[in-house]
Amino acid sequence: MQAPAVQPSPSDPKRETILRHARRAFTADGYAGARIEPIARDAGVSTATLYALFDGKAELFAAVIEDAALDFDRLMRRVRAVDGPARERLTHFSVTYAGFMADPFIRSVFRLVMAERPRFRDVAMTFFDRGKADFGKVLIDALRELVERGELRIERTSWAAGQLMGMIEHPVFFMPLVTGDEVMPVRAVDQIAADAVETFLARYGV
């Protein structure tokens, strides 16, 4: 089952309210457990109004994921490489990236998308690819500049970028994600980022 494409629409307070309450329902109960009537009631609209904006539950779910992706875009804008020496640039990226990946909101939406991937494969893959490509490009571009300036020695910048991001993602995102937040990192987010940069520079620094 594939969700229909969601077309951008002008800002509509009722639509935004419905999406906010639908996100809560889907993340709490999953696609199968969430019901249209309670979502409409919690949003303060009639079911007729909801169906006028969304042609069924599948379209509402796809719209919720698209809306979450837009929220991600706003958060992603904070994750940018700054100019300066290698350690400074990589630390800035790593700290902001770790903060993004450690956000409970991020995990809740990822859990929802992962759970419903068999039903909404296209929606899920677009969601995953979008974030990874955006973050990866920022870091890869920074690494290439640092290589050109002679501060790093890297043959495959895409591999190196994946290694740095992976050292951050594993403790702050994947461990809590797969354990339902029962296992959380012992180290502070800033320390995880600093340790990742130290390990990275030990491998690729000049």
Side-chain angles (χ1 to χ4, degrees):
M1 178 179 180
Q2 303 297 332
V6 179
Q7 300 299 323
S9 62
S11 178
D12 179 337
K14 286 184 180 179
R15 186 178 191 276
E16 291 175 358
T17 301
I18 291 169
L19 288 175
R20 184 169 65 252
H21 287 280
R23 183 189 294 183
R24 291 175 185 167
F26 284 129
T27 54
D29 303 323
Y31 180 82
R35 295 173 52 238
I36 292 293
E37 291 78 8
I39 292 172
R41 183 173 61 251
D42 291 344
V45 301
S46 67
T47 53
T49 297
L50 190 151
Y51 279 118
L53 293 169
F54 304 98
D55 186 20
K57 191 174 176 181
E59 185 170 308
L60 177 59
F61 179 83
V64 163
I65 300 306
E66 175 64 20
D67 185 62
L70 294 176
D71 279 349
F72 280 19
D73 285 342
R74 287 188 282 272
L75 292 170
M76 283 180 202
R77 294 190 191 109
R78 303 175 190 172
V79 185
R80 292 292 180 263
V82 297
D83 199 11
R87 184 180 296 277
E88 181 180 333
R89 296 186 71 173
L90 295 176
T91 298
H92 175 80
F93 174 89
S94 297
V95 168
T96 51
Y97 183 61
F100 176 86
M101 295 303 289
D103 191 326
F105 160 68
I106 305 299
R107 290 196 299 277
S108 69
V109 175
F110 265 85
R111 285 193 186 102
L112 175 61
V113 175
M114 289 170 60
E116 302 304 335
R117 181 181 177 277
R119 191 191 305 264
F120 295 100
R121 185 180 183 282
D122 290 348
V123 172
M125 294 311 296
T126 299
F127 178 81
F128 288 131
D129 292 343
R130 182 178 189 170
K132 197 72 173 178
D134 286 346
F135 287 133
K137 184 179 186 308
V138 170
L139 182 55
I140 289 170
D141 288 347
L143 294 180
R144 285 174 177 163
E145 289 179 20
L146 292 168
V147 169
E148 290 173 2
R149 283 160 43 174
E151 296 188 50
L152 298 176
R153 188 185 297 110
I154 301 173
E155 293 184 7
R156 296 288 295 273
T157 51
S158 60
W159 288 9
Q163 290 168 0
L164 179 58
M165 294 170 73
M167 285 189 284
I168 295 167
E169 292 165 358
H170 178 72
V172 305
F173 177 73
F174 286 112
M175 276 202 317
L177 182 73
V178 301
T179 63
D181 291 345
E182 291 183 9
V183 177
M184 301 297 289
V186 175
R187 293 172 294 163
V189 169
D190 287 2
Q191 188 60 54
I192 290 170
D195 291 346
V197 170
E198 194 67 36
T199 302
F200 187 85
L201 289 175
R203 169 66 177 84
Y204 294 110
V206 174

